[in-house]
């Protein structure tokens, strides 16, 4: 009924929080199936007694408190964050990104019932997962063949908070694979074309768009507010940003790649797809050698700088048109959405691989698991896990002012 913890029971943890650059949270339970995760008068007195110490000794300026009560195999919670300046904000959700991904809304949100249009989904994976899909905040970086296919699948699955990021306008050659596009849309920003298409499917969709590149700091900051990111861009510099974002914000990133190969006679000979899941504990795209660093460096140059380096033989020429076919971009997009569903539901192997390779020309799928390299930013020993909104942002230099 009552528990007393002396200061030596938690002061050491505050030192660990300072070393990690973390915010300490006083976490406790109100046990029992009938327990309510709401602060009692005693809890509020404890908060007043220890908030200053937590803010000071952790060096974060914050004191957090979180109360949990069991509900079957799950739990409900409430919580707050207090800043040393006096501001208080509620903890609205807990997003867990281990082998499995779980999103739990606060007790104040109350129970919700999924719309009846999702009846077939619910028959497959139950109402709880359907509710999670509706609460997730997802970003698709790239609104082309894979990005538009992923966005439409997500919306039809029930995702209702979506950010679309793409710098390009729709061209005539995009019409063969960009979902929702028609000839009358040529010349419009891809993100606007896709947003309008998705809103026609789901008028209740909260869909924001950014016409810009992930390599720009304001765009990267907008992406960082997401629970989950799908990387559907084929530029290497953008992939570098998303790879770092996954580590610095503990944000899962599902990165896609599609490569079509032809023989000397122009006959299609290879259809290769890749779905790489970036999450804490796994190797980043650099560790996996999934990024062409020379091309990434060239992509960050201004057009004039890039052309000068190309002329001098120090940079690859950019802007070549790669082959793309809607059947193959859609297949890889479906494999990426499958990764999200498996992480939420758990129908796959207990030990999740973090990359899936599709060799569609050979009707073959394989998986692998890669770990971070030592001394690299994604390795836990480097202290960048969850470093968050520090400067320089994502630990890198940014073009522009």
């Amino acid at each position: 009924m009552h528990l007393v913890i002396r200061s030596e029971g938690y002061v050491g943890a505050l030192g660990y929080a300072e070393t990690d650059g973390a915010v300490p949270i006083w976490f406790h339970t109100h046990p029992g199936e009938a327990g309510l995760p709401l602060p009692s008068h005693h809890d509020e007195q404890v908060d007043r007694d220890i908030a200053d110490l937590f803010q000071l000794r952790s060096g974060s300026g914050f004191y957090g408190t979180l109360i949990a009560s069991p509900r079957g195999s799950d739990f409900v919670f409430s919580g707050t964050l207090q800043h040393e300046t006096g501001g208080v904000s509620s903890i609205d959700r807990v997003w867990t990104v281990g082998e499995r991904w779980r999103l739990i809304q606060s007790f104040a949100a109350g129970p919700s019932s999924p719309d009846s249009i999702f009846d077939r989904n619910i028959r497959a994976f139950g109402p709880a997962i359907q509710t999670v899909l509706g609460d997730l905040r997802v970003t698709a970086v790239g609104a082309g063949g894979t990005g538009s296919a992923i966005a439409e699948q997500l919306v039809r699955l029930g995702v209702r908070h979506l950010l679309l990021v793409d710098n390009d306008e729709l061209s005539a050659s995009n019409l063969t694979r960009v979902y929702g596009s028609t000839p009358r849309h040529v010349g419009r920003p891809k993100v606007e074309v896709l947003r309008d298409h998705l809103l026609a499917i789901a008028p209740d969709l909260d869909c924001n768009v950014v016409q810009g590149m992930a390599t720009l700091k304001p765009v990267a900051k907008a992406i960082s507010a997401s629970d989950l990111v799908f990387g559907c861009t084929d530029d290497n510099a953008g992939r570098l940003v998303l790879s770092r974002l996954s580590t610095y914000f503990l944000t899962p990133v599902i990165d896609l790649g599609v490569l079509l190969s032809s023989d000397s006679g122009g006959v299609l000979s290879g259809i290769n797809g890749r779905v790489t899941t970036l999450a804490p504990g796994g190797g980043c795209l650099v560790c996996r050698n999934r990024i062409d660093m020379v091309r990434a460096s060239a992509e960050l140059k201004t057009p004039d700088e890039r052309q000068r380096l190309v002329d001098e033989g120090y940079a690859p020429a950019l802007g070549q048109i790669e082959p793309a076919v809607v059947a193959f971009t859609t297949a890889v997009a479906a494999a990426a959405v499958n990764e999200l569903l498996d992480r939420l539901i758990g129908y796959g192997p207990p030990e999740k691989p973090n990359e899936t390779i599709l060799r569609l020309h050979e009707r073959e799928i394989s998986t692998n698991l890669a770990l971070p390299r030592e001394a690299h930013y994604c390795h836990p020993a480097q202290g960048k896990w969850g470093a968050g909104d520090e400067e320089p942002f994502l630990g890198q230099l940014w073009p522009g002012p």
Side-chain angles (χ1 to χ4, degrees):
M1 299 299 293
H2 187 75
L3 176 67
V4 175
I5 303 177
R6 295 193 300 270
S7 60
E8 54 263 39
Y10 53 81
V11 168
L14 301 182
Y16 286 119
E18 183 175 27
T19 300
D20 288 345
V23 173
I25 294 182
W26 184 260
F27 173 77
H28 58 287
T29 62
H30 288 179
E33 287 290 328
L36 292 178
L38 299 175
S40 65
H41 294 304
H42 180 70
D43 294 331
E44 292 170 345
Q45 182 60 50
V46 170
D47 292 341
R48 287 190 289 268
D49 290 343
I50 66 176
D52 289 346
L53 175 64
F54 271 52
Q55 292 160 352
L56 177 65
R57 294 294 293 269
S58 69
S60 69
F62 283 97
Y63 164 68
T65 181
L66 192 142
I67 309 167
S69 295
R71 290 295 185 273
S73 60
D74 220 321
F75 67 92
V76 290
F77 77 93
S78 72
T80 58
L81 278 177
Q82 302 178 35
H83 194 259
E84 58 190 356
T85 58
V88 180
S89 58
S90 62
I91 299 175
D92 298 322
R93 53 224 301 274
V94 173
W95 174 226
T96 307
V97 289
E99 284 288 310
R100 292 276 302 279
W101 299 343
R102 300 173 65 209
L103 177 64
I104 300 175
Q105 296 283 7
S106 74
F107 183 71
S112 60
S113 299
D115 195 292
S116 61
I117 66 170
F118 300 115
D119 175 67
R120 296 294 187 94
N121 290 359
I122 293 169
R123 291 173 186 269
F125 46 65
I129 297 298
Q130 191 63 58
T131 298
V132 167
L133 288 169
D135 292 336
L136 274 178
R137 298 162 187 168
V138 184
T139 291
V141 179
T146 53
S148 64
I150 279 176
E152 179 158 339
Q153 290 181 49
L154 292 175
V155 169
R156 293 190 183 277
L157 279 168
V159 169
R160 287 298 180 266
H161 304 280
L162 190 61
L163 173 66
L164 304 174
V165 178
D166 196 300
N167 192 50
D168 296 334
E169 295 177 346
L170 191 77
S171 67
S173 66
N174 296 146
L175 297 175
T176 59
R177 64 192 182 281
V178 174
Y179 283 70
S181 65
T182 68
R184 66 186 176 86
H185 294 131
V186 171
R188 286 191 65 199
K190 285 182 181 178
V191 287
E192 294 183 3
V193 172
L194 183 55
R195 176 198 59 197
D196 293 350
H197 173 61
L198 298 174
L199 286 171
I201 296 171
D204 60 334
L205 173 67
D206 173 22
C207 186
N208 295 306
V209 300
V210 174
Q211 187 179 7
M213 299 181 295
T215 50
L216 298 177
K217 185 177 179 180
V219 177
K221 279 183 170 285
I223 296 170
S224 70
S226 311
D227 297 321
L228 169 71
V229 177
F230 284 90
C232 310
T233 176
D234 54 9
D235 78 284
N236 291 269
R239 283 196 170 106
L240 271 178
V241 171
L242 297 185
S243 188
R244 297 183 78 89
L245 184 142
S246 176
T247 295
Y248 278 70
F249 282 86
L250 302 182
T251 301
V253 173
I254 302 177
D255 185 73
L256 292 75
V258 183
L259 177 64
L260 305 185
S261 305
S262 302
D263 62 21
S264 57
V267 177
L268 188 63
S269 58
I271 308 166
N272 295 285
R274 173 184 58 78
V275 177
T276 306
T277 302
L278 308 177
C284 70
L285 293 175
V286 177
C287 289
R288 290 176 166 276
N289 297 315
R290 298 306 188 202
I291 294 178
D292 185 329
M293 300 300 290
V294 175
R295 292 184 68 86
S297 177
E299 287 164 355
L300 289 171
K301 307 291 185 184
T302 66
D304 290 342
E305 289 174 331
R306 190 184 308 151
Q307 188 58 52
R308 178 179 60 79
L309 291 173
V310 169
D311 293 342
E312 295 173 357
Y314 292 118
L318 302 176
Q320 299 99 323
I321 298 175
E322 301 291 344
V325 177
V326 66
F328 311 138
T329 55
T330 301
V332 178
V337 175
N338 170 71
E339 185 66 30
L340 166 62
L341 292 176
D342 183 19
R343 296 277 179 161
L344 291 176
I345 301 167
Y347 50 74
E351 294 186 7
K352 306 294 184 190
N354 50 25
E355 187 169 73
T356 300
I357 304 294
L358 299 92
R359 288 175 285 274
L360 299 177
H361 57 292
E362 297 178 351
R363 307 331 190 252
E364 184 176 295
I365 299 177
S366 63
T367 61
N368 62 72
L369 177 66
L371 301 177
R373 296 178 187 171
E374 290 188 15
H376 199 242
Y377 70 81
C378 63
H379 195 282
Q382 300 306 307
K384 298 303 180 184
W385 281 22
D389 201 8
E390 64 178 16
E391 291 295 337
F393 188 61
L394 301 184
Q396 68 173 50
L397 298 178
W398 297 88

